[in-house]
Each structure stands twice: as C-alpha cells, then as structure tokens.
C-alpha cells in the first residue's frame, strides 16, 4: 500500500497506557512505520515507570490522564482529539501495527463507523486458560443479549470515524469500555466491520493488567447495566418471570390444600406468594414504561449521531459545483423582450 495512500485523511493513533515502558517505544515506531502521516498520541494513565519518556523518545505526543481506568482514558481521548479517523490500540505490543492500514482501508471501503481487529490467537492469551474461557463465554452472552455483529467484543484494536468517537457516551471506567463500544454500535445499528489479525504476547517482564475474576465480574455487571439501559423490557421481563415463577412455587401448595380442605392453613406463605405476584406485575409494567423511555433515548442518540458530519475523507474537490449550482446553470433564461412581455 503506498505511503501517501491516506494523505488526504487526518488519522490519529490513540494508545492508552499504564506502565508499558518496556513495549511502548516499539509500538509507537510500529505505527509510525505503518501510518507515516498519522499523529500518534500516548495517554499516560499515572504510570510509575518510564512509559512517558519512552513514548516521547519514540516520537509520540504524550498526554497525561489522571483519572485511573482505561474507560476514563478513552473518554478523554475522544474529547481531546479531532480527526477524520481514530485508531485505538494498547501499548503492550500484543496488537500488530502493520494491520493498521488494512483496518483504515476497511473502514473506508465498507463505509463503516467502526472496524474491530479480531484476535486470531486470543485463546493463547499468555497461556491463561481463564481468559480464553471468559472470552468465549462473554462473546456468547453478548450475542444472546445484543446481537451477533461481533466475534471479539473485548478487542482493544479498533478504528473509528469521527462520527462514532464524538457520539459515543463512554460511561465505563475500566476494561469494560470495549463492551460498551460494541453495545453502542449494536443499539444504534451502526455499520461495523471486522479484520482478523494475529494476536501477540506481552513482552517478558510486562505482566498483564487483567484479573480474570475481578474484570470478568465488572464486564458482567456492565452487560447487565447496558441491557437495563438499552433493552429494559427484556431485562425487567426476565425479572418479572423469575418473580412470577417464585410466586407460583409458593402458591401451588396453598391452593392444593385449599381445594382439598377448603381452608388456607399457610396464611404467611399465601401472603408471600401474593407479594411476589404483585412484584412480578409491577416489574413487568416498569419494563413496558422504560422500554418507551429507552426508545426515546435511542432516537436522541441517533439524532446526535446524524448531526455530526461523516468524515472519511469526504472533502470538497476544487473545480466541482453543487447540484443546486448546476441546476441554476442549466435553467433556460428568457430574452429581455420576453421578460418585458412577461412583466406586462
């Protein structure tokens, strides 16, 4: 691919980093080679090592990010930087910089708002089986809850249009941010694509920041919260069905005894069953009402998304005229005598 293939695009490479001093220089140089005209920003998230020094020495623009957590860093990056195309990756060296031109080209060719770099060897994540099992499990849960547009919702290697970056709410604080990005695209039904590449290993002496159980719980909680916010009817429908089932469980023996004896001997059990039944009804009604609210919020997000001009290099070309101007030029004009006759 020619070096100046993207010369008319303003591309920003965004690298959120926390203690990546051992790898960040090679990552920056890799993206500099892959996208020579791109601006490279390293957001240093309170690193205690020499991440900032190594990144600056490699030629990146280093920006401090004081609020801890990858989600907080992404929120700051999208707010700070203006570009036509954003390319986000991690600074640990596991994402291949040479795949960056392919991701940008896919974004342009597919007219997509987000391209996700899916990891071919993600199941070999530093030999940690817990991460591999978690990836398969959460990807399956995501497909069930939100749709099957993605095969790797946890990939941090992504390309975005400006329209996506500036309309993304980014409420997550940590590693759940990739899941939220995927849900945002699924909720607004944005055009997305995927590019597969080989997933590397972290450098020796650079331990992973992920915790299998802690981050897994956070991601699961984020999925529940996003489901409640974006699909409240389904969320509260599940809760209502559970309460109704519990109500029937406690109600059945009381009704059986009543039909046999004509007496209600277990009054507390009956009261509990009725309370659960009322709870199921109220939860169902809440789901119906909140579903209307969620649809209104989705419409507002969509309107805000559409208010941001698409920026995939669509620029005004010198020598061209607008459709309105061309119509004006082709409109037949009348002679002065005819115009005088018309006035009379």
């Amino acid at each position: 691919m020619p070096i100046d293939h993207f010369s008319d695009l303003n591309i920003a490479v965004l690298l959120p980093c926390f203690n990546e001093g051992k790898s960040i220089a090679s990552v920056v140089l890799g993206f500099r080679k892959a996208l020579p005209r791109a601006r490279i920003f390293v957001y240093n998230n309170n690193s205690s090592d020499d991440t900032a020094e190594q990144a600056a020495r490699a030629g990146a623009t280093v920006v401090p990010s004081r609020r801890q957590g990858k989600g907080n860093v992404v929120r700051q990056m999208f707010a700070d930087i203006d570009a036509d195309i954003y390319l986000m990756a991690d600074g640990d060296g596991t994402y291949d910089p040479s795949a960056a031109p392919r991701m940008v080209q896919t974004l342009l060719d597919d007219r997509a708002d987000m391209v996700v770099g899916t990891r071919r060897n993600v199941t070999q994540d530093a030999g940690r089986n817990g991460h591999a099992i978690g990836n398969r499990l959460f990807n399956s849960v995501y497909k069930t809850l939100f749709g099957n547009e993605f095969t790797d919702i946890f990939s941090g290697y992504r390309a975005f249009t400006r329209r996506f970056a500036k309309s993304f709410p980014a409420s997550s604080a940590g590693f759940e941010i990739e899941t939220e990005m995927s849900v945002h695209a699924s909720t607004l039904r944005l055009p997305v694509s995927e590019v597969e590449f080989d997933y590397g290993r972290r450098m020796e002496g650079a331990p992973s920041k992920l915790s299998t159980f802690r981050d897994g719980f956070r991601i699961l909680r984020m999925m529940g919260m996003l489901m409640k916010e974006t699909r409240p009817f389904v969320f509260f429908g599940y809760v209502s069905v559970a309460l109704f089932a519990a109500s029937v469980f406690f109600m059945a023996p009381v009704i059986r005894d009543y039909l046999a004896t004509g007496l209600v001997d277990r009054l507390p059990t009956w009261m509990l069953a009725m309370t659960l039944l009322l709870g199921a009804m109220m939860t169902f009604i809440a789901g119906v009402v909140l579903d209307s609210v969620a649809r209104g919020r989705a419409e507002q997000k969509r309107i805000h998304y559409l208010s941001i001009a698409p920026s995939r290099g669509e620029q005004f070309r010198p020598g061209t005229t607008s459709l309105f101007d061309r119509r004006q030029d082709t409109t037949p004009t009348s002679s002065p005598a005819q115009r005088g006759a018309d006035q009379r």
Side-chain angles (χ1 to χ4, degrees), residues 72-295:
N72 293 320
V73 178
V74 170
R75 187 182 301 108
Q76 181 180 347
M77 291 191 304
F78 285 173
D80 286 351
I81 307 301
D82 272 321
D84 293 329
I85 293 176
Y86 301 77
L87 188 74
M88 186 182 77
D90 291 342
D92 57 6
T94 56
Y95 296 126
D96 182 12
S98 65
R102 191 154 50 104
M103 294 184 65
V104 174
Q105 190 63 52
T106 301
L107 191 79
L108 299 175
D109 292 343
D110 293 355
R111 305 290 297 176
D113 278 308
M114 179 171 65
V115 172
V116 181
T118 59
R119 301 167 289 180
R120 187 175 291 118
N121 298 321
V122 67
T123 56
Q124 302 175 10
D125 184 11
R128 301 182 67 173
N129 292 327
H131 289 179
I133 295 173
N135 268 283
R136 288 194 293 268
L137 174 62
F138 283 116
N139 276 288
S140 298
V141 172
Y142 184 92
K143 290 179 180 180
T144 301
L145 298 180
F146 301 106
N148 57 359
E149 295 95 343
F150 303 100
T151 58
D152 186 6
I153 61 171
F154 296 142
S155 175
Y157 200 8
R158 303 184 180 223
F160 315 94
T161 59
R162 184 179 186 275
R163 174 178 270 180
F164 183 98
K166 297 302 182 180
S167 67
F168 177 55
S171 60
S172 305
F175 285 102
E176 319 92 279
I177 189 68
E178 286 91 359
T179 304
E180 187 181 1
M181 289 176 178
S182 302
V183 173
H184 179 66
S186 296
T187 301
L188 296 186
R189 302 178 185 178
L190 306 182
V192 296
S193 295
E194 293 185 334
V195 171
E196 190 178 40
F197 66 96
D198 288 324
Y199 184 54
R201 293 176 177 268
R202 296 179 64 88
M203 297 183 63
E204 294 294 332
S208 174
K209 312 297 190 308
L210 293 174
S211 172
T212 301
F213 296 102
R214 182 195 63 196
D215 291 318
F217 173 76
R218 289 179 178 176
I219 292 168
L220 187 62
R221 182 180 62 186
M222 173 57 64
M223 281 188 175
M225 188 274 289
L226 291 172
M227 185 181 178
K228 177 179 71 68
E229 295 295 322
T230 61
R231 303 185 65 193
F233 182 77
V234 177
F235 179 85
F236 288 101
Y238 286 149
V239 176
S240 178
V241 169
L243 292 174
F244 180 75
S247 174
V248 171
F249 175 79
F250 289 109
M251 188 187 304
V254 179
I255 294 178
R256 184 188 59 207
D257 293 345
Y258 175 77
L259 294 177
T261 65
L263 299 175
V264 178
D265 293 330
R266 302 187 225 178
L267 188 58
T269 303
W270 179 255
M271 295 298 296
L272 175 61
M274 289 296 101
T275 302
L276 292 172
L277 181 60
L278 288 174
M281 295 172 60
M282 294 176 64
T283 304
F284 179 80
I285 294 173
V288 172
V289 174
L290 291 175
D291 185 67
S292 298
V293 175
R295 289 176 183 273

Side-chain angles (χ1 to χ4, degrees), residues 287-305:
V288 172
V289 174
L290 291 175
D291 185 67
S292 298
V293 175
R295 289 176 183 273
R297 292 181 59 193
E299 290 175 1
Q300 291 178 350
K301 289 181 180 179
R302 181 75 181 177
I303 292 172
H304 175 60
Y305 160 81

Side-chain angles (χ1 to χ4, degrees), residues 306-326:
L306 293 174
S307 69
I308 303 171
S311 186
R312 302 183 187 90
E314 301 95 333
Q315 298 176 355
F316 173 76
R317 302 298 180 184
T320 63
T321 57
S322 68
L323 179 61
F324 176 79
D325 292 335
R326 291 200 299 272

